[in-house]
Every structure is written in C-alpha cells, then in structure tokens.
Amino acid sequence: VAKTSLTSPPWPEVKLPDPVEEAKYHAEVVQKVNKMIATGQYGRLFAVVHFASKQWKITSEDLIMMDNVLEAECGDRIRMEKVLLVGADDFTLIGRPLLGKDLVRVEATVIEKTESWPKINMRFWKRHNYQKKKIIVNPQTVLRINTIEIFPCLS
Amino acid sequence: MVLLSGPRWLRSRLTDRFWRVQEVLKYARHFRGRKNRCYKLAVRSVRRAFVKSTKARREKKRFLRALWITRIEAASLEHGLKYPAFISNLLKSQVELNRKMIADLAIYEPKTFKSLAALAQRRRQEGFLAALGDGKEPEGIFSRIVHHY
C-alpha cells in the first residue's frame, strides 16, 4: 500500500519501556525513597498546600497571610490537610491530586488577626454626575508554619 | 414663648474647611505639578487615581495569570515541551497545581519542575499510544478498507 500523509501519525513514533522491568524499577525507587525518609536524610522540606481557596508553597518557620477570617483563636495549632506536593533536595512526592494524611503532617499556629489597610473603591462616570466612594477593610489572619513532617509509609 | 426663626446675626458657618480639604490633598501629595497643592486640580486627579486603582485591582489578576503562563512556557521549553502539552498532560495525570505554584516551582525548585515535565512527557506518550489503538482494521462492510495490490 502506498504511503500517504495519513499512513503514519504526525507525532514521532515512541516506544515505552517494558512494563515488567518498569514495575521493578519503580519498586526499587520507592524502597530507596522510603529508606531515605525513615533514616531522615533530608534537609529542609517544602510543601504545596491548598488553604483558603489558594495554593501556597510553604516551608517551616514561614509566615502566611490570608484575606479572611479563621474560626480559631490566636495561639491555636492548626493541621493543614490538603497537601498537594512535598519535596526535599533529593526527592519530591507529588500527590494525585492530594497526598495521604498518614504521609505528611503540616502544623501551623494562628499569630495575628487584624484588618487590612483601608482600600478605596471608587466609581465615576464623567458628565453624568455619578460618583460613589466605598472604603473596604478586609479581616486578615497571619499564620506561622511550625513544622512539616513526612512519615515512611510509601508502597 | 417659642421663636421659630433665629435672628439674622446667627449664621451656621463652615469651621472645618481646612480638614476637609486636607483629606483630599493627603492622597495627592506625591503627584507632579500643581495638582499636589491646589484643591480644585487635586480633586480631579485624586478621583481619577481612585477609579484607576479599582479597575486595576481586577486587571491585576489577568495580568499575573498571563505572567505565570509565560514563565511556565519558558521553563517547559527548556525541558523540550510546549506549554499546552505540559499543562494538558499534567491535568490528565490528576496533578492539580495551579499556574502560580508551577511558576514558583519552576523558579525556586528546578529539580521538582524537571520531574513534573518528565511526568507530563510520559503521559503524553501514553496518550499517543492509546490514540493509535491496536492497529487492526475496523469491522463492518462499509468501513472495511480496500487493499489494492
């Protein structure tokens, strides 16, 4: 059969590695990372956390400011549960989309509950005698991330 | 007896004109020219400044998103992937990091970004193989392919 422009697909042909060998390699890597976590051979950990409808990249001793109210008193310890990614220097654990709660633990403390600076909201139409001025003050909360811990429960 | 109208020497006069004017001028102090000193010019400039800042607060979100996308595109091209391929394959592998995070990771955690790019590349190849199918001809009479030898 003659070769036309549609005989082969427009992307280059790819060959995936052997599934059995791949499974062995994956198991080896997982074991290695588990051992590393168990022995504690990591430096500073960073995590990507989904909190207050935003994603934050946090490390320990980090300050975070949210533009809303948290129903916790100043000085309360909080555990953040929606962790998307945890990483150290040599390895990263990517969640699909979240990581398990028995794998990562992120602790934070509420430090401050203040209001934002007065933001001015003004609308004006020229030649129509229309202007409105509103001062918006949002409540803010400041959190300090205390620790990020990981446990060797990979499989 | 009740006096309904006050005598003519009692007038209500404005005493805090200075502070009312200062309330507007304090927002104009860093402007250029006479509009940082003269009230009539300052009122117009301050009003325009407030309106522009309200509108800019809405456009800042669009602008930052475009910036993140440009950065992710540049970083993924360094690893040999284009932006649409990278993002679509990441989403298909159920990694729900938003563009702000991926841009931050590309700047501050290059090794993590490299692993994300490798993940997207692998998912892309698996997608191509799945799209090719088994390579057999379809069944049925009208969809049968005629071989000319």
Side-chain angles (χ1 to χ4, degrees):
Chain A
V1 184
K3 293 238 169 203
T4 58
S5 64
L6 292 179
T7 36
S8 59
W11 53 81
E13 201 191 298
V14 196
K15 273 207 174 130
L16 287 184
D18 194 23
V20 174
E21 276 185 30
E22 258 225 293
K24 254 197 297 184
Y25 176 64
H26 286 334
E28 235 186 83
V29 168
V30 165
Q31 283 263 315
K32 223 177 168 184
V33 173
N34 229 359
K35 228 196 301 182
M36 276 180 82
I37 300 176
T39 46
Q41 288 167 15
Y42 46 80
R44 184 160 263 250
L45 283 174
F46 77 91
V48 171
V49 155
H50 184 280
F51 194 64
S53 75
K54 285 179 273 287
Q55 294 182 5
W56 310 82
K57 177 181 163 304
I58 52 181
T59 34
S60 46
E61 310 157 26
D62 230 0
L63 277 178
I64 278 189
M65 186 161 79
M66 303 165 9
D67 219 19
N68 53 17
V69 173
L70 207 58
E71 285 154 4
E73 301 305 312
C74 292
D76 280 357
R77 276 191 89 99
I78 288 182
R79 185 196 167 174
M80 296 197 193
E81 298 188 345
K82 292 187 208 165
V83 181
L84 295 154
L85 222 186
V86 163
D89 195 25
D90 295 320
F91 59 89
T92 21
L93 306 170
I94 306 179
R96 298 170 89 173
L98 295 175
L99 290 169
K101 288 190 348 188
D102 53 341
L103 187 53
V104 201
R105 194 182 165 91
V106 180
E107 300 246 310
T109 336
V110 181
I111 292 189
E112 211 184 317
K113 289 164 96 169
T114 48
E115 298 177 329
S116 74
W117 61 286
K119 299 188 191 174
I120 303 188
N121 203 357
M122 185 141 187
R123 305 174 65 172
F124 174 75
W125 282 353
K126 52 186 177 181
R127 299 184 292 271
H128 287 260
N129 195 19
Y130 171 75
Q131 64 172 337
K132 286 190 196 176
K133 183 170 162 184
K134 189 173 175 182
I135 299 184
I136 300 183
V137 176
N138 294 324
Q140 289 175 337
T141 328
V142 179
L143 297 174
R144 164 95 60 187
I145 311 292
N146 300 114
T147 49
I148 304 179
E149 293 156 7
I150 42 175
F151 309 106
C153 346
L154 292 172
S155 62
Chain B
M1 62 183 180
V2 179
L3 293 172
L4 289 172
S5 55
R8 238 174 19 177
W9 64 84
L10 289 176
R11 304 183 294 160
S12 67
R13 307 187 63 204
L14 199 60
T15 42
D16 36 313
R17 188 171 284 122
F18 171 75
W19 292 281
R20 289 190 196 191
V21 158
Q22 286 304 305
E23 252 178 42
V24 170
L25 281 178
K26 80 177 183 222
Y27 290 110
R29 285 306 179 197
H30 63 278
F31 289 173
R32 197 186 200 208
R34 268 194 278 179
K35 41 190 202 277
N36 60 22
R37 296 185 290 281
C38 310
Y39 179 73
K40 211 168 172 179
L41 307 172
V43 161
R44 286 175 250 173
S45 295
V46 163
R47 193 185 289 153
R48 279 174 73 76
F50 285 160
V51 168
K52 284 182 188 206
S53 76
T54 9
K55 290 192 188 159
R57 249 178 271 137
R58 300 177 55 191
E59 289 180 9
K60 181 178 174 183
K61 303 163 183 51
R62 300 176 210 176
F63 170 71
L64 278 179
R65 187 171 161 125
L67 179 68
W68 297 327
I69 291 181
T70 323
R71 287 184 175 172
I72 299 173
E73 192 165 350
S76 62
L77 282 171
E78 280 176 14
H79 292 284
L81 265 180
K82 295 193 192 167
Y83 172 81
F86 180 67
I87 287 277
S88 57
N89 292 114
L90 267 194
L91 284 173
K92 284 177 195 169
S93 349
Q94 286 179 301
V95 175
E96 270 160 41
L97 293 164
N98 63 10
R99 284 142 181 91
K100 168 174 138 199
M101 287 332 302
I102 306 179
D104 287 346
L105 289 177
I107 298 172
Y108 294 111
E109 319 277 342
K111 298 186 211 168
T112 310
F113 188 82
K114 187 172 178 181
S115 63
L116 284 173
L119 178 68
Q121 179 76 305
R122 176 57 192 262
R123 177 67 184 74
R124 190 168 187 234
Q125 287 161 0
E126 287 180 7
F128 290 156
L129 284 178
L132 279 177
D134 294 331
K136 294 190 208 130
E137 285 175 17
E139 291 156 12
I141 304 173
F142 287 101
S143 47
R144 215 168 38 189
I145 296 178
V146 181
H147 293 280
H148 298 283
Y149 291 112

